[in-house]
Amino acid sequence: MSHSHLDAIDAQLWPGVAEVPVPRFGAWRARRAEAQFAQACDAAGLVLEGADADLRVAHDALFDRLAHGGWVGFAESYLAGEWTTPDSAHLVRVLKRLLGAGYAPKTPAVTESPATGGELPTELVKLYAGDRVSHQGGIFSTGVPTTVRESVPAYERSGAKEHFVDVTHLSEPTAVDREDLRSAQERAAAWLADATRVGAGSHVLVFPATGLQAAVQAAERRAVVDILTADPERAEAVREHLVLAGVSDNVACQDIEHLVPSPQEWRGRYDAIISIEALESLGSRERGRYVQAIDRLLDASGRAVIQATVATEQMTGPGRDALQALKAYVWPGLGLLTVPEINKLVERSTGLRIVAQTHTGPHYRESLEQERSFFVGHLREAAAAGFDPVYRRLWTYQFALREALFALGMADSVQFTLVHRNRGGRR
C-alpha cells in the first residue's frame, strides 16, 4: 500500500513515524483496531465527521499503527498527520475523553533507557516559556492553600513505623490568562526557596537547570548558588540569562557529564538543594542515585525540595500506556511514581525523610494549558528555529497529553521537602 503522505518525513530522524508498521495478521488486526477505535470514540462522545468533528482520520494507516503499537501508534499517527483536530484545545479534549472512557489498545512497553545528559533544547523552551530559558509549573495568585498534618508509613528499615508530613493542597486557580504565567512561575520558585529556607548567605544547589527561576529567586535573596547541567548548550544560555537577570555575581552554572553527579564529579555541602522535574524522567536505575546525591550534598541541618510529577490513585492502565509515547520520543526514562513510592525511595535509599509535600496539580495543569497555547502561537518561529513538522506536532501532543492526565486527576505535581532523619524530626 502506498503511503505517499510520509515522503516528506525524515526517516533517519523519525523512523517510527516515517514507516507504517505491518502488524502480524495485518488486515484483520487493523480492521479490529478500527472497530475498537470507533467504539471508543462513540463511548467518549467524540465526533469523527461533519463540521463539528473533534478529530478527522485522513489515512487508514492510523489503524495499522494502533494494531501494532496501541497508544504509541496513536501518537505516531498524529505525528505523521494521519489524524488531526481543529486545534490543540480539541487535541486535549480527544485525549482526555478517550482516556476517561478507558480506551485501552494493546500497547507494548517501550524499553527504558536512562537520561544521561541533555536537557530540553534551549531554543525549544523559549518557544513556550519566553525568554526565561527555564520551565516549571506555576502557582497562580488565586489558589488558596490548605495544610493538614498527616501520619504516613515510615519505610526506613528500622525505627518508627510512621511519621508526620505537613500536606498542603492548593485550590483551583481562577480567571487566569497567558499574562499570568510569568508571575505564577516566579511565585512557584519563591515557594521552593521558602520551603528550603533560603536567605542571605545560604549556599544553594539547583539541579538540573530546569530550576533556573528558583536559582534567580535564591540569588535575589542574596544566597550563593550553583546550578548544575549536563548540557553545554543549556549552560551557555543559562549564563546569558543570569547576566541579563543581574545575578551572575551570585550564581555559577557548572557543566557536568551526567545529570546525576557522582562524588568524583561534584562535591560540596549545601544549606539548600532545589531540584525540579528530574525524578520522573531519570529511569528506575537512576532514581536511587539521584536521591543519594541529594543526601550526600545536603548539609546536616539543610533542607532539600524536589518538585516532581506523580501518578495519583486515579491513574489507570490506559493512562500509563498513553505515557509510553512520551517515553519513546521525549523522556527515555519516564516513569511516574506515586507519593508513597517516592517516600519509600527516599527512606530506603538515603538518610533523608520527607517532612512536607505541597500538591499544586490544578495550577500545573493551568500552566501546561498556557504553555501549550504559547507554543502553538509560535509555530512559525519553531519552524524558523529548525524544528520540523513532526517535532512541532510532537511538542503539541506532549503538552496535550499531560494536560489531559492532570485534568482527569491521574497526575499531580508535588513539591517534596526533605531533611536528614538524624535531625530528630525537627522542622
Side-chain angles (χ1 to χ4, degrees), residues 134-350:
S134 71
H135 61 104
Q136 67 179 77
I139 295 177
F140 297 90
S141 61
T142 51
V144 178
T146 303
T147 302
V148 296
R149 179 163 291 188
E150 296 183 4
S151 175
V152 301
Y155 294 99
E156 58 184 291
R157 300 187 187 280
S158 62
K161 294 183 178 181
E162 60 182 26
H163 64 94
F164 291 97
V165 176
D166 292 332
V167 180
T168 300
H169 289 271
L170 283 176
S171 64
E172 292 271 355
T174 59
V176 172
D177 58 35
R178 186 182 297 176
E179 286 68 31
D180 295 325
L181 181 59
R182 176 187 287 269
S183 61
Q185 291 180 326
E186 291 173 349
R187 187 174 296 104
W191 280 44
L192 295 170
D194 289 344
T196 49
R197 299 177 181 172
V198 171
S202 297
H203 195 193
V204 181
L205 175 66
V206 174
F207 82 105
T210 307
L212 174 59
Q213 189 61 49
V216 172
Q217 176 71 222
E220 290 175 346
R221 300 184 183 197
R222 294 183 294 152
V224 178
V225 186
D226 288 323
I227 301 176
L228 302 184
T229 178
D231 189 329
E233 292 184 5
R234 170 56 64 88
E236 187 60 33
V238 166
R239 293 182 185 116
E240 291 177 3
H241 183 83
L242 294 172
V243 172
L244 293 174
V247 297
S248 57
D249 290 342
N250 287 55
V251 186
C253 182
Q254 308 288 345
D255 294 317
I256 57 176
E257 185 176 353
H258 302 101
L259 197 60
V260 180
S262 67
Q264 294 74 31
E265 196 169 20
W266 194 256
R267 299 176 182 271
R269 301 293 283 182
Y270 292 90
D271 303 306
I273 298 177
I274 299 173
S275 189
I276 299 175
E277 297 185 2
L279 181 63
E280 60 269 53
S281 63
L282 281 173
S284 56
R285 295 181 180 179
E286 295 293 301
R287 291 175 195 136
R289 292 184 59 244
Y290 164 79
V291 293
Q292 287 165 0
I294 292 176
D295 188 9
R296 172 174 59 84
L297 295 167
L298 185 65
D299 187 76
S301 60
R303 297 168 72 87
V305 64
I306 297 171
Q307 178 179 310
T309 299
V310 304
T312 70
E313 293 179 352
Q314 284 72 47
M315 176 62 79
T316 61
R320 289 194 181 276
D321 286 345
L323 284 168
Q324 292 291 305
L326 305 193
K327 188 174 182 179
Y329 285 98
V330 185
W331 296 285
L334 181 65
L336 301 190
L337 300 179
T338 64
V339 168
E341 286 171 339
I342 292 176
N343 272 277
K344 182 181 291 188
L345 173 70
V346 169
E347 295 201 15
R348 291 284 175 86
S349 303
T350 74

Side-chain angles (χ1 to χ4, degrees), residues 45-56:
L46 294 172
V47 179
L48 303 180
E49 297 178 345
D52 297 324
D54 294 299
L55 75 157
R56 296 181 184 277

Side-chain angles (χ1 to χ4, degrees), residues 330-387:
V330 185
W331 296 285
L334 181 65
L336 301 190
L337 300 179
T338 64
V339 168
E341 286 171 339
I342 292 176
N343 272 277
K344 182 181 291 188
L345 173 70
V346 169
E347 295 201 15
R348 291 284 175 86
S349 303
T350 74
L352 301 171
R353 166 164 289 163
I354 294 171
V355 295
Q357 57 194 49
T358 300
H359 296 253
T360 63
H363 293 250
Y364 197 93
R365 185 206 60 76
E366 185 65 48
S367 300
L368 287 171
E369 180 178 345
Q370 299 303 323
E371 289 177 340
R372 170 179 55 79
S373 174
F374 198 79
F375 178 75
V376 170
H378 289 82
L379 289 179
R380 291 172 62 184
E381 290 86 344
F387 296 105

